[in-house]
Amino acid sequence: VIIMKIGEIINDSIKYPLSNKKTFLFLGLIVILGDLYSIFGSITNGLIVIFGILALIIVFVRLGYQLRVMEFSTANNDILPELNNWKDLLINGLKVIVVTLVYVFPIMVVIIPLIIIIAITSYSSGANLADTNMFKTFGLVSIIMGLYLVIIYPIYFMSLANMAKNGNNIDNAFKFNAIKNTISHVGLGNFVIWYIFTGLIFLFLLLIGFGLTEIFNMIHIKFIGDLLASLTVTPFAMIFLYRSASLIYLNGSMDDTLD
């Protein structure tokens, strides 16, 4: 029964992005706008600045829309929300960035001094990254960061869901007791199973996007693959991930849990 309920969450999250095809394609076009520079590459310096500003604005819009997906999902709405009310999207995107910075701050406090120490040691000793000791140290830093992110990601998603559920009030992203209780209600084992399955599917979707790009790259029209991936795979993966996180949160915040 436990696996079936988690399976239902995954199944629902896979179907959900296409519950509003018009909005899904519109989101894909927004993603393309944000990726124009990386897709087409060689642009004049003036256009680089323009596309850079555009990409930054679209980052806020995308983050704000991801939070809107959570807001609608935690309100038991089964249809993909519209892409409108741009002011709200930008404001909520900023909130997501603030929450993200708070969650990555602890590891940055550890990693940045280590990187500085590595750089100073390398410079003073004339060593480089290829030297065995430096390579091991850099590898250790990467492992520490990777482990932290793997552990913190699901908690981070629960904090965003808690914020979305409570009127997008940023204070709710840091109500750690409520988040802890939600995970406890789901059950740690169930939560880990959900995280693994959701993560694997998300990675698989990213691989599809990468494969699509490489297929067109082999016939020397890579930008077509990039456009198709940005239009379809990227928004699909994004919506799937935030819908899935919303539903597992909803299960934990209700009386009838997955247990």
Side-chain angles (χ1 to χ4, degrees):
V1 176
I2 291 171
I3 297 298
M4 282 185 64
K5 286 197 174 182
I6 292 175
E8 287 169 9
I9 289 173
I10 300 297
N11 187 50
D12 178 284
S13 302
I14 290 172
K15 293 178 180 178
Y16 180 74
L18 298 180
S19 61
N20 184 340
K21 296 180 180 65
K22 179 182 175 182
T23 298
F24 175 77
L25 289 175
F26 188 18
L27 179 61
L29 292 174
I30 295 293
V31 173
I32 286 175
L33 281 176
D35 292 343
L36 279 179
Y37 175 67
S38 62
I39 290 173
F40 293 105
S42 55
I43 318 176
T44 65
N45 290 335
L47 287 179
I48 287 175
V49 173
I50 293 171
F51 281 119
I53 294 170
L54 179 63
L56 182 61
I57 293 171
I58 287 174
V59 165
F60 281 87
V61 170
R62 284 174 60 175
L63 291 173
Y65 186 73
Q66 287 164 189
L67 193 64
R68 182 175 292 176
V69 167
M70 287 188 141
E71 181 184 0
F72 273 62
S73 295
T74 54
N76 288 304
N77 194 315
D78 294 329
I79 303 298
L80 192 66
E82 297 291 334
L83 253 171
N84 54 20
N85 203 335
W86 301 94
K87 181 181 176 182
D88 275 0
L89 291 178
L90 290 169
I91 292 171
N92 288 330
L94 177 60
K95 291 178 183 178
V96 173
I97 287 176
V98 171
V99 174
T100 304
L101 289 175
V102 170
Y103 272 90
V104 300
F105 179 76
I107 192 64
M108 289 298 101
V109 169
V110 175
I111 294 299
I112 291 175
L114 281 174
I115 292 174
I116 292 172
I117 291 169
I118 290 171
I120 292 173
T121 304
S122 176
Y123 179 78
S124 60
S125 65
N128 56 59
L129 189 59
D131 294 329
T132 303
N133 290 334
M134 294 301 297
F135 187 79
K136 285 181 179 178
T137 306
F138 189 80
L140 179 62
V141 169
S142 300
I143 290 171
I144 292 171
M145 179 178 282
L147 286 174
Y148 177 82
L149 292 176
V150 166
I151 292 168
I152 209 68
Y153 254 128
I155 300 169
Y156 165 75
F157 281 119
M158 292 305 98
S159 73
L160 290 180
N162 200 51
M163 178 168 73
K165 176 69 173 175
N166 293 282
N168 293 326
N169 186 331
I170 197 168
D171 292 342
N172 288 283
F174 307 111
K175 291 190 175 179
F176 298 110
N177 281 336
I179 295 165
K180 175 178 171 292
N181 289 337
T182 297
I183 295 172
S184 296
H185 290 157
V186 172
L188 185 58
N190 298 329
F191 192 69
V192 170
I193 291 171
W194 163 79
Y195 183 41
I196 291 171
F197 274 93
T198 298
L200 288 175
I201 292 171
F202 181 72
L203 289 175
F204 178 70
L205 290 170
L206 294 184
L207 284 173
I208 290 175
F210 176 76
L212 193 60
T213 299
E214 288 306 305
I215 287 171
F216 281 91
N217 187 34
M218 287 189 292
I219 53 177
H220 308 294
I221 47 173
K222 181 176 180 290
F223 76 95
I224 296 293
D226 288 335
L227 283 171
L228 289 173
S230 295
L231 181 66
T232 58
V233 181
T234 300
F236 191 97
M238 179 184 84
I239 296 167
F240 162 80
L241 182 61
Y242 282 80
R243 172 69 172 183
S244 184
S246 302
L247 294 183
I248 197 71
Y249 166 86
L250 205 55
N251 273 276
S253 64
M254 295 167 64
D255 290 333
D256 50 331
T257 69
L258 288 176
D259 292 324

